[in-house]
Amino acid sequence: MKKIVYTILAALSLFSSCSLDENPQDAVSKDTVFSSESGLKMYSYSFYNMLPSGSDAHRQDAMCDYGAVTSFNDFIREGAYTAETSSGWSWSNLRNINYFIENCQTSTVSESVRNNYLGLARFFRAYFYYGMVVRFGDVPWIDEPLGVDDERLYAPRDSRTLVMAKVLEDLDFACNNITTTSSDGSMVTKWVAYALKSRICLFEGSFRKYHTELGLTNTANEWFTQAANAANEVMKKSGHSLYKAKGTAASYRALFTSDAPVTSEVMLAACSSLSLAVLNDANWYWTSGTYGPRFSMIRTYINTFLSTDGTPFTSKPGYETMSFYDECQNRDARLSQIIRTPGYKRDGVPAEPNFNGYSYTGYQPIKFSLDPTSYDDGSLNTNAIPLFRYAEVLLNYAEAKAELGTLTDEDWANTIGALRSRAGITGGISTKPTAVDPYLQQNYFPELSNATLLEIRRERGIELSLEGFRFNDLKRWKKGELMTMRWTGIYVPALNVQMDLDKDGTTDVIFYTGSKPTGLPASCTPVKVGAGTQQGLSEGTSGYLTWSDNDLRTWYEDGRQYYYPIPALVMVKNPAITQNPGWE
């Protein structure tokens, strides 16, 4: 069923409410909805409004360490984000779910059917609370609709341990009771529930391990075990697998550009529908110099893509000053499916990185955008955007097992090795690594000496790039300082030299200072660097492109940004709610 619930969802907005004490309007009678399986099914469609839409799903990594943008989020700008500007303390989705759970009790529907839909409701309640805990830490646990005068409306926040224990209960119920085991990628299945459980448990285990200030380190392994076990259920029983039908050069990107979800691997997606005029804006966002953020990946991250023989690219002599063309050769095949590399074409025409109003670094993403330029100027995209993928489950399993110290060579081959093999990497796919990559360690995780964990983190950063995981990964690993990493790009050997980035015989860009060069071919874009611009070169007249060096990003030493501040108005309405540390 394609998120064909589109036309039904509008009608079901009647079940929404803005605060914890509002009752849904009864435009459709309660008895009509809760006395039949069709009524429960219709109501359950309203839960899907909680998931990212097609136009939200492709921009979830808008704030991450590997993207240079026109203007970064105030959250990482010193003094710019406060409790007065904070948001996200919204409970309407929870109210909708709890109303359903309380009323889904009628004997006119069999217990197994009711439990299936209760499982779905509790899946979404776990999804809701996971988002709230990730954002705010401690939050009130509410598991039933509240009346106007209910004293719990004025209660303090509950502890993280209590809330996450309840989340785990909901996840277990969902896994055990959702009966749907296959879909066209638009509906939650039992395996999506297990995938969510692996995601949430991995986050919680990591957060407890690395945030020692919580005093919960001794409970981290319980969550890692839950994550590994949930992932294993998907791996052993779901029938999902890595998609390889289009070969090394195209299978990965096809997952993100196909109109219909590639259901062998994609477990749940934000679907588009041309006939229903439900489209997304991926091309507009990723190719426009004005509508989108001009998101450009940075060199430090691009350097983490392995060579095809499985060795670190940064182990090659002279990698520091390689031309754009040369650094793109013989690399992990995902590189050419995530950014524009030599050979990429649009409408059959070579399309090098676009410095004419788009790319700041030369590493221009293509992961979600469609190649025809006809999609570029509005919300016109028809591709489905994955929300849950089998690849993530493999990564969750590998990391959880590695954290537990129980990852075997066979586990490695079936997870990280399998992902790298699909990307055309031939070396190191059968056995766990034993040697630490000094570049990865020095630039990202100097405190980590476990070679296997380092490589799993590398793999996660590449496989899941731009899919909305990165900021949460940095939070759970307690690596927020990476958000201040310098934004650098391709190597430029000298000013005022025309560069043929893709070696197709025509020059593409020239970087200059002072007066704009004249007499350039139409194909060559002049880009001014230095004084009066945010664009620069690391060595002044040569070096790596830099962007926004003078607009500083901040990660506070007190760690306050691992949580968002509670919005100020919340504490006015309920004085029992206290502010997160550092945001007082």
Side-chain angles (χ1 to χ4, degrees), residues 174-209:
C175 292
N176 291 330
N177 288 280
I178 293 176
T179 57
T180 303
T181 55
S182 63
S183 84
D184 63 358
S186 67
M187 307 300 290
V188 170
T189 66
K190 177 184 289 289
W191 311 121
V192 174
Y194 274 111
L196 179 64
K197 182 179 177 182
S198 75
R199 179 187 297 181
I200 291 176
C201 291
L202 179 64
F203 180 93
E204 189 62 14
S206 305
F207 205 92
R208 293 184 183 205
K209 176 177 179 177

Coordinates of all heavy atoms in Angstrom, one line a residue, residues 174-209:
A174 N 5.7 -4.3 20.4 CA 5.6 -4.1 19.0 C 6.2 -5.3 18.2 O 5.6 -5.8 17.3 CB 6.2 -2.8 18.6
C175 N 7.4 -5.7 18.6 CA 8.1 -6.8 17.9 C 7.3 -8.1 18.0 O 7.3 -8.9 17.1 CB 9.5 -7.0 18.5 SG 10.6 -5.6 18.1
N176 N 6.7 -8.3 19.2 CA 6.0 -9.6 19.5 C 4.6 -9.6 18.9 O 4.1 -10.7 18.8 CB 6.0 -9.8 21.0 CG 7.4 -10.1 21.5 OD1 8.2 -10.7 20.9 ND2 7.6 -9.8 22.8
N177 N 4.0 -8.5 18.6 CA 2.6 -8.5 18.3 C 2.3 -7.9 16.9 O 1.2 -8.2 16.4 CB 1.8 -7.7 19.3 CG 1.7 -8.4 20.6 OD1 0.9 -9.3 20.8 ND2 2.6 -8.1 21.6
I178 N 3.1 -7.1 16.3 CA 2.8 -6.7 14.9 C 2.9 -7.9 14.0 O 3.9 -8.7 14.0 CB 3.8 -5.6 14.4 CG1 3.6 -4.3 15.2 CG2 3.7 -5.4 12.9 CD1 4.6 -3.2 14.9
T179 N 1.9 -8.2 13.2 CA 1.8 -9.4 12.4 C 2.2 -9.2 11.0 O 2.6 -10.2 10.3 CB 0.3 -9.9 12.4 OG1 -0.5 -8.9 12.0 CG2 -0.1 -10.4 13.8
T180 N 2.3 -8.0 10.5 CA 2.7 -7.7 9.1 C 4.2 -8.0 9.0 O 5.0 -7.5 9.7 CB 2.4 -6.3 8.7 OG1 1.0 -6.0 8.9 CG2 2.7 -6.0 7.3
T181 N 4.5 -8.8 8.0 CA 5.9 -9.2 7.8 C 6.5 -8.7 6.5 O 7.7 -8.9 6.2 CB 6.1 -10.7 8.0 OG1 5.3 -11.4 7.1 CG2 5.8 -11.1 9.4
S182 N 5.6 -8.2 5.6 CA 6.1 -7.7 4.3 C 5.2 -6.5 3.9 O 4.0 -6.5 4.3 CB 6.1 -8.8 3.3 OG 4.8 -9.3 3.0
S183 N 5.7 -5.7 3.1 CA 4.9 -4.6 2.5 C 5.7 -4.0 1.3 O 6.7 -4.5 1.0 CB 4.7 -3.4 3.6 OG 5.8 -2.6 3.6
D184 N 5.1 -3.0 0.7 CA 5.7 -2.4 -0.4 C 6.7 -1.3 0.0 O 7.1 -0.5 -0.8 CB 4.7 -1.8 -1.4 CG 3.8 -0.7 -0.8 OD1 4.1 -0.4 0.4 OD2 3.0 -0.1 -1.4
G185 N 7.0 -1.3 1.3 CA 8.0 -0.2 1.8 C 7.3 1.0 2.4 O 8.0 1.9 2.8
S186 N 6.0 1.0 2.4 CA 5.3 2.2 2.9 C 4.7 2.0 4.3 O 4.2 2.9 4.8 CB 4.1 2.6 1.9 OG 3.1 1.6 1.9
M187 N 4.7 0.7 4.8 CA 4.0 0.4 6.0 C 5.0 -0.2 7.0 O 6.0 -0.9 6.6 CB 2.9 -0.5 5.8 CG 1.9 0.0 4.8 SD 1.1 1.6 5.2 CE 0.1 1.1 6.6
V188 N 4.8 0.0 8.3 CA 5.6 -0.6 9.3 C 5.3 -2.1 9.4 O 4.2 -2.5 9.4 CB 5.3 0.1 10.7 CG1 6.0 -0.7 11.8 CG2 5.8 1.5 10.7
T189 N 6.4 -2.9 9.5 CA 6.2 -4.3 9.6 C 6.9 -4.8 10.9 O 7.5 -4.0 11.6 CB 6.9 -5.1 8.4 OG1 8.4 -4.8 8.5 CG2 6.4 -4.6 7.1
K190 N 6.8 -6.0 11.2 CA 7.5 -6.6 12.4 C 9.0 -6.3 12.3 O 9.6 -6.0 13.3 CB 7.2 -8.1 12.5 CG 7.9 -8.8 13.6 CD 7.7 -10.3 13.5 CE 6.3 -10.7 13.9 NZ 6.0 -10.5 15.4
W191 N 9.5 -6.4 11.1 CA 11.0 -6.3 10.9 C 11.4 -4.8 11.1 O 12.5 -4.5 11.6 CB 11.4 -6.9 9.6 CG 10.8 -8.2 9.4 CD1 10.0 -8.7 8.4 CD2 11.0 -9.3 10.3 NE1 9.7 -10.0 8.6 CE2 10.3 -10.4 9.8 CE3 11.7 -9.6 11.5 CZ2 10.2 -11.7 10.4 CZ3 11.6 -10.8 12.1 CH2 10.9 -11.8 11.5
V192 N 10.5 -3.9 10.7 CA 10.8 -2.5 11.0 C 10.8 -2.2 12.5 O 11.7 -1.5 13.0 CB 9.8 -1.6 10.3 CG1 10.0 -0.1 10.7 CG2 9.9 -1.7 8.8
A193 N 10.0 -2.9 13.2 CA 9.9 -2.8 14.7 C 11.3 -3.3 15.3 O 11.9 -2.6 16.1 CB 8.8 -3.5 15.3
Y194 N 11.7 -4.4 14.8 CA 13.0 -4.9 15.3 C 14.2 -4.0 14.9 O 15.1 -3.8 15.6 CB 13.3 -6.3 14.7 CG 12.7 -7.4 15.5 CD1 11.6 -8.2 15.1 CD2 13.2 -7.7 16.8 CE1 11.1 -9.2 15.8 CE2 12.7 -8.8 17.6 CZ 11.6 -9.5 17.1 OH 11.0 -10.5 17.8
A195 N 14.1 -3.4 13.7 CA 15.1 -2.4 13.2 C 15.1 -1.2 14.1 O 16.2 -0.7 14.5 CB 14.9 -2.0 11.8
L196 N 13.9 -0.7 14.5 CA 13.9 0.4 15.4 C 14.4 0.1 16.7 O 15.2 0.9 17.3 CB 12.4 0.9 15.5 CG 12.3 2.1 16.5 CD1 13.0 3.4 15.9 CD2 10.8 2.4 16.7
K197 N 14.1 -1.1 17.2 CA 14.7 -1.5 18.5 C 16.2 -1.6 18.4 O 16.9 -1.1 19.4 CB 14.1 -2.9 18.9 CG 14.6 -3.4 20.2 CD 14.0 -4.7 20.6 CE 14.6 -5.2 21.9 NZ 14.1 -6.6 22.3
S198 N 16.8 -2.1 17.4 CA 18.2 -2.1 17.3 C 18.8 -0.7 17.2 O 19.9 -0.4 17.8 CB 18.7 -2.9 16.0 OG 18.5 -2.2 14.8
R199 N 18.1 0.2 16.6 CA 18.6 1.6 16.5 C 18.6 2.3 17.8 O 19.5 2.9 18.3 CB 17.7 2.4 15.5 CG 18.1 3.8 15.3 CD 17.0 4.6 14.5 NE 17.0 4.1 13.1 CZ 16.2 4.6 12.2 NH1 15.3 5.6 12.5 NH2 16.2 4.1 11.0
I200 N 17.4 2.2 18.5 CA 17.3 2.8 19.8 C 18.2 2.2 20.9 O 18.9 3.0 21.6 CB 15.8 2.7 20.3 CG1 14.9 3.6 19.4 CG2 15.7 3.2 21.7 CD1 13.4 3.5 19.7
C201 N 18.3 0.9 20.9 CA 19.1 0.3 21.9 C 20.6 0.6 21.7 O 21.4 0.7 22.7 CB 18.9 -1.2 21.9 SG 17.2 -1.7 22.6
L202 N 21.0 0.6 20.4 CA 22.4 1.0 20.2 C 22.7 2.4 20.6 O 23.7 2.7 21.3 CB 22.7 0.9 18.7 CG 24.2 1.3 18.3 CD1 25.2 0.3 18.9 CD2 24.3 1.3 16.7
F203 N 21.8 3.3 20.3 CA 22.0 4.7 20.8 C 22.1 4.8 22.3 O 23.0 5.4 22.9 CB 20.8 5.6 20.4 CG 20.9 7.0 20.8 CD1 21.5 8.0 19.9 CD2 20.5 7.4 22.0 CE1 21.7 9.3 20.4 CE2 20.7 8.8 22.5 CZ 21.2 9.7 21.6
E204 N 21.2 4.1 23.0 CA 21.1 4.2 24.5 C 22.4 3.5 25.1 O 22.9 4.1 26.0 CB 19.9 3.6 25.0 CG 19.6 3.8 26.5 CD 19.5 5.3 26.9 OE1 19.3 6.1 26.0 OE2 19.5 5.6 28.1
G205 N 22.8 2.4 24.5 CA 24.0 1.8 25.1 C 25.2 2.6 24.9 O 26.0 2.8 25.8
S206 N 25.3 3.2 23.7 CA 26.5 4.1 23.5 C 26.4 5.4 24.4 O 27.5 5.8 24.9 CB 26.5 4.5 22.0 OG 26.5 3.4 21.2
F207 N 25.3 5.9 24.5 CA 25.1 7.2 25.3 C 25.5 6.9 26.7 O 26.2 7.7 27.3 CB 23.7 7.7 25.2 CG 23.6 9.2 25.4 CD1 23.6 10.1 24.4 CD2 23.5 9.7 26.7 CE1 23.6 11.5 24.6 CE2 23.4 11.0 27.0 CZ 23.4 11.9 25.9
R208 N 25.1 5.8 27.2 CA 25.4 5.4 28.6 C 26.9 5.1 28.8 O 27.5 5.4 29.8 CB 24.5 4.3 29.1 CG 23.1 4.6 29.2 CD 22.2 3.5 29.7 NE 20.8 3.8 29.8 CZ 19.9 3.3 30.6 NH1 20.3 2.4 31.5 NH2 18.6 3.7 30.5
K209 N 27.5 4.5 27.8 CA 28.9 4.1 27.9 C 29.8 5.4 27.9 O 30.7 5.5 28.7 CB 29.3 3.2 26.8 CG 30.8 2.8 26.8 CD 31.2 1.8 25.7 CE 32.7 1.6 25.8 NZ 33.1 0.5 24.8

